[in-house]
Amino acid sequence: MAKKNESAFDRLLKKLTKATPIEEESSVKLDHDFDGIQELNNPLPPWWTAGFIITIILSVFYIFYYMVQGKDSQYVEYQREVARAKAQVDAYKKAHHIVDANTVTVLTDKKSLEEGKEIYLKNCAACHVADGGGLVGPNLTDDYWIYGCDIKSIFNVITNGTSKGMPPWKALGADKIQKVASYVLSLHGTKPAKPKAPQGKPCKRG
Ligand code: HEC
């Protein structure tokens, strides 16, 4: 029974919930009682039932879309997005000459090698000796390498260091590491005053 001066909102709420008004509760009360806790046999609220039916109807479209038409799942979409983002990052790095272990190349221009030499004398000579002959660290001029003689391996070793005494130089930044790595490679074949005995395996740079 619609009461007078009932607002439109109250009427809507009533329609959506179909809850029994508090004065009529005794009509829906179930006759069990646990320590004073009682249960009302209210109908399912229509808003909830409608939502339930809508999800069932939507599921038909989902089944059709993903299982019959075989469209990409969220997982495949996610992987595609990640791959696209990665490609964009790579393109950005390339365009802005930002190097990392995957894109690093050997620099051969004089200016870069001179900068590389400066970095080397300042940070590396204590252990590898100014002429690269090796002392605490291995000889960097010979054909023997522990971690590989390609620019990527050397870039990696310098960046991350090793567990056997080579400190990480990440703080130098990729740019400087590329220069000092290129300088290290330029030492190959030079004749240091006191070459340290070979360590590692023979390695030919392609
Ligand atoms: C505290 C001493 C020390 C300093 C400083 C140091 N290194 Fe090393 N370096 C080592 C040691 C020790 C090793 C051998 C590590 C191993 O066997 O795991 C090594 C290994 C290396 C290797 C790998 C050699 C191979 O045979 O694979 C490279 C390349 C290298 N260092 C370059 C550098 C550069 C460039 C710098 C300066 C930015 C530098 N190191 C500074 C001690 C040092």
Side-chain angles (χ1 to χ4, degrees):
M1 243 185 293
K3 284 189 206 125
K4 273 183 198 151
N5 66 31
E6 200 176 27
S7 75
F9 181 70
D10 286 341
R11 282 201 300 276
L12 177 70
L13 215 58
K14 228 179 224 176
K15 255 202 188 122
L16 287 177
T17 59
K18 256 194 192 162
T20 314
I22 212 151
E23 316 85 64
E24 294 162 30
E25 256 178 11
S26 56
S27 68
V28 289
K29 199 164 80 188
L30 294 174
D31 61 353
H32 43 230
D33 184 330
F34 298 98
D35 294 340
I37 300 172
Q38 298 173 326
E39 199 183 342
L40 299 180
N41 189 18
N42 271 318
L44 283 172
W47 69 263
W48 190 90
T49 316
F52 184 57
I53 290 168
I54 289 169
T55 57
I56 294 174
I57 294 169
L58 282 181
S59 74
V60 177
F61 290 100
Y62 271 85
I63 290 173
F64 182 75
Y65 188 79
Y66 288 112
M67 306 189 89
V68 180
Q69 287 203 310
K71 297 281 191 199
D72 293 344
S73 67
Q74 286 184 351
Y75 183 62
V76 174
E77 279 178 12
Y78 168 77
Q79 284 182 322
R80 193 169 51 224
E81 286 292 311
V82 169
R84 189 158 68 201
K86 201 173 163 300
Q88 281 172 352
V89 170
D90 287 347
Y92 181 89
K93 280 183 176 168
K94 212 170 189 172
H96 294 77
H97 304 290
I98 299 172
V99 286
D100 65 17
N102 294 318
T103 59
V104 64
T105 50
V106 188
L107 302 169
T108 49
D109 64 292
K110 224 171 139 212
K111 192 167 161 286
S112 300
L113 289 180
E114 257 160 31
E115 277 179 60
K117 183 176 183 175
E118 243 171 66
I119 299 162
Y120 179 86
L121 292 178
K122 202 166 140 209
N123 303 295
C124 325
C127 295
H128 292 280
V129 182
D131 61 14
L135 187 70
V136 179
N139 183 340
L140 298 174
T141 68
D142 61 11
D143 291 332
Y144 290 78
W145 293 82
I146 305 169
Y147 298 100
C149 57
D150 58 297
I151 184 74
K152 286 180 185 170
S153 307
I154 292 175
F155 183 92
N156 242 328
V157 170
I158 299 172
T159 306
N160 301 312
T162 75
S163 58
K164 292 192 203 136
M166 167 68 180
W169 294 94
K170 215 182 208 112
L172 282 179
D175 206 38
K176 286 188 172 169
I177 294 175
Q178 182 185 26
K179 284 174 183 153
V180 74
S182 301
Y183 176 70
V184 164
L185 281 175
S186 78
L187 291 174
H188 178 247
T190 57
K191 299 266 169 285
K194 282 189 200 154
K196 197 178 174 188
Q199 285 167 273
K201 287 180 287 200
C203 182
K204 274 265 171 288
R205 199 144 60 87

